[in-house]
Amino acid sequence: MRIMVLLVGAGLLAGAAPAQKIDMATRLLPAPPATLGATVKPFVKQGPGRIAITHVRVIDGTGAAPNEDRTVLIDGTRITAVQAGGDLVPTGYAVIDGSGKSIIPGIVGMHNHLFYIALPGLDATGRFAPPVLVPQMTFSAPRLYLAGGVTTIRTTGSVEPYADLNLKAQIDAGALPGPHVDVTGPYLEGAGSPFIQMHPLKDAADATQTINYWADRGVTSFKAYINISRAALKAAIDAAHARGIKVTGHLCSVSYPEAVGLGIDDFEHGFWVNTQNDPGKTPDQCSKDQGEATLAGMAADSADARALIKLLVDHKVAVTSTLPVFETYAPGYRTLPPRQLELLLPEARADYFYNLTLQKSRSAAGKAVDAKLWANALALERAFVAAGGLLIAGPDPTGAGNVLPGFGDQRAIELLVEAGFSPVEAIRIGTLNGATYLGVADRIGSIAPGKNADLVLVDGNPATRIADIEKVVIVFKDGIGYDSAALLESVKGRYGQY
């Protein structure tokens, strides 16, 4: 697997008292602050209170057809009613005219990092000097997510978990702008990681201790990584489940069927990194092909695919689609539009074009392989959902440069439509399905009275033209309307720096 893709992307300790299970809803969605800090206020377009969004198209996140000409009433942090557009607006409501616009639930991003991957000295030939570094984007990433309509994220792997926990605390306190954050602990990795900032787990006991240490500090999910052993993964899963915490994985050393047998909850990157049929695959070792050989040979209607999908569905294992980070494999890959490129640090922009040029210069045979991988990946995700599987979505914004926070989340939903889902089905995958996996579907992920007022108002109609999901007008989180354009302006030229 090429470097761009590689960069994508036993119970309690003896004698310890049983740990208390987390309350995910309380941790992820605490009561909003009474006041917002000076750093947040400049980005507020509509303050809290009673708000009526009138004559708007409601795409409710359930996969149902849109409801035309509706009025959505917000009182404080909650949606109180969705009524006919011709009904009278109660007195005391600030009115936002939604004519010609659509409202969707806040996006629930399920593979959303708070870091960038830097390749020191990267040049046009693809060479760079070790070590690979992972600088935090604690300033820019939360703003980009919120600007893009992402009101909830799972960090899906952390290199600075204290920074991520502290960031979440400050967002929850109203001191910094950003989405609700499900903080994933440090990567559960084995020896030989390409990232110098990751701790190599020594054994199962180390895995158990790592889970309990970070769960005690407020982490609410964990992610296993490419070199973890089966014994360490099993120990981590058991320890996490004892705390009521789920474990996902971007795997390689452990195949999908093996991980299902160990009790894993979710697989990252769709079907790209399953190594079960890679030539020369040995137990507990990442294969040379890192899943590409398996994907190339696994058509969606093959016996292997049907068996794997049945295994996942029977064991209620979710799959996270991260199509944006693999989009350079697609025959029709588009260069990032100018408004995204201008958000990048100049050096990050240069790295993006180095990688893009190298990808485009691949041989015709190489491009044909890429096209087959892309087609199989899309078809497998469709087949998984058709069989009853829970597909969730995220962008995996990392150092390849072709995926930015927020914009990548929108693109993840657009690419699901390219994969064959209807626009309303794709929106459900990017909203309600993520909330369902997190166990908070009663609070977020769809539009209904009593739910959190986490909403995105966009120009146009994403139910017929999914690209309209990019036309964000205002983003509501806990009933407060944030100015997408102002948030983007505040980080222009800085993503990749801080």
Side-chain angles (χ1 to χ4, degrees):
M1 185 174 291
R2 294 180 289 284
I3 188 70
M4 180 189 70
V5 178
L6 173 63
L7 298 180
V8 179
L12 300 173
L13 291 173
Q20 197 170 32
K21 289 195 174 185
I22 65 164
D23 178 345
M24 190 62 179
T26 300
R27 290 277 189 92
L28 179 61
L29 307 168
T35 59
L36 298 176
T39 302
V40 178
K41 287 179 180 178
F43 305 110
V44 174
K45 194 171 186 176
Q46 179 67 55
R50 292 183 171 181
I51 303 163
I53 305 170
T54 62
H55 303 294
V56 71
R57 177 182 301 102
V58 174
I59 302 170
D60 67 7
T62 67
N67 287 309
E68 302 288 341
D69 192 18
R70 292 295 187 268
T71 292
V72 178
L73 300 181
I74 300 170
D75 191 345
T77 64
R78 299 297 177 96
I79 301 166
T80 56
V82 179
Q83 63 186 39
D87 290 352
L88 289 176
V89 174
T91 58
Y93 278 75
V95 174
I96 297 174
D97 184 4
S99 300
K101 299 177 175 62
S102 302
I103 197 162
I104 67 171
I107 296 172
V108 181
M110 296 300 293
H111 195 125
N112 297 61
H113 296 304
L114 293 169
F115 59 70
Y116 186 84
I117 298 174
L119 307 179
L122 180 68
D123 64 21
T125 70
R127 288 192 296 264
F128 60 92
V132 177
L133 297 173
V134 187
Q136 282 286 113
M137 296 296 108
T138 311
F139 174 84
S140 59
R143 295 175 183 221
L144 287 171
Y145 284 127
L146 193 58
V150 185
T151 52
T152 302
I153 65 170
R154 178 181 65 177
T155 60
T156 322
S158 174
V159 291
E160 291 193 26
Y162 281 123
D164 292 354
L165 286 166
N166 292 337
L167 172 67
K168 172 182 167 52
Q170 292 203 36
I171 291 173
D172 290 346
L176 291 174
H180 306 293
V181 184
D182 168 18
V183 179
T184 306
Y187 283 80
L188 303 172
E189 174 65 311
S193 175
F195 298 104
I196 200 167
Q197 288 152 282
M198 292 185 186
H199 166 66
L201 295 171
K202 296 187 293 292
D203 51 28
D206 191 6
T208 300
Q209 185 179 40
T210 297
I211 296 293
N212 286 323
Y213 178 88
W214 287 106
D216 285 344
R217 277 144 190 83
V219 157
T220 45
S221 65
F222 287 94
K223 175 184 173 182
Y225 207 43
I226 57 177
N227 294 300
I228 194 169
S229 69
R230 290 166 297 170
L233 179 57
K234 174 61 174 171
I237 291 169
D238 288 349
H241 286 179
R243 310 291 294 255
I245 296 175
K246 293 181 177 180
V247 178
T248 190
H250 169 176
L251 300 177
C252 182
S253 55
V254 182
S255 70
Y256 280 23
E258 288 173 328
V260 171
L262 300 175
I264 202 164
D265 301 289
D266 182 19
F267 288 117
E268 300 304 306
H269 305 302
F271 293 86
W272 286 87
V273 294
N274 173 29
T275 56
Q276 70 181 82
N277 295 334
D278 280 10
K281 176 70 175 72
T282 58
D284 295 334
Q285 297 295 316
C286 183
S287 63
K288 178 182 178 182
D289 291 293
Q290 298 187 54
E292 285 194 354
T294 296
L295 179 58
M298 191 175 281
D301 59 354
S302 67
D304 279 350
R306 290 196 299 270
L308 175 60
I309 288 171
K310 184 178 188 304
L311 183 70
L312 299 179
V313 173
D314 287 351
H315 287 80
K316 296 180 170 57
V317 178
V319 170
T320 308
S321 172
T322 62
L323 293 176
V325 81
F326 296 102
E327 192 182 359
T328 53
Y329 284 65
Y333 175 72
R334 53 166 198 170
T335 303
L336 288 180
R339 74 171 184 147
Q340 293 189 45
L341 290 173
E342 68 184 8
L343 294 167
L344 291 168
L345 182 73
E347 291 83 356
R349 194 180 311 136
D351 287 356
Y352 166 70
F353 282 109
Y354 285 150
N355 280 319
L356 182 61
T357 300
L358 289 168
Q359 185 73 9
K360 287 185 174 181
S361 65
R362 279 170 56 74
S363 67
K367 290 178 180 178
V369 171
D370 290 351
K372 183 176 184 180
L373 291 168
W374 179 254
N376 281 1
L378 300 188
L380 284 164
E381 292 189 7
R382 288 198 312 273
F384 175 66
V385 172
L390 180 67
L391 187 68
I392 55 184
D396 193 15
T398 50
N402 58 302
V403 186
L404 275 67
F407 289 100
D409 295 84
Q410 297 163 359
R411 189 64 182 155
I413 294 172
E414 293 172 2
L415 289 172
L416 287 167
V417 175
E418 183 173 316
F421 296 100
S422 72
V424 293
E425 288 171 335
I427 290 169
R428 175 179 176 133
I429 292 166
T431 58
L432 184 58
N433 282 13
T436 298
Y437 177 86
L438 292 172
V440 291
D442 61 329
R443 296 277 300 277
I444 62 172
S446 62
I447 300 174
K451 287 202 166 187
N452 282 31
D454 288 5
L455 306 163
V456 189
L457 185 66
V458 301
D459 273 325
N461 183 4
T464 58
R465 184 179 181 273
I466 193 60
D468 286 349
I469 202 171
E470 300 176 16
K471 299 177 181 179
V472 177
V473 176
I474 186 169
V475 180
F476 288 90
K477 178 194 162 199
D478 291 327
I480 297 172
Y482 291 91
D483 188 332
S484 176
L487 286 162
L488 293 176
E489 185 65 28
S490 74
V491 300
K492 189 177 293 184
R494 297 304 181 188
Y495 184 68
Q497 181 181 20
Y498 49 63

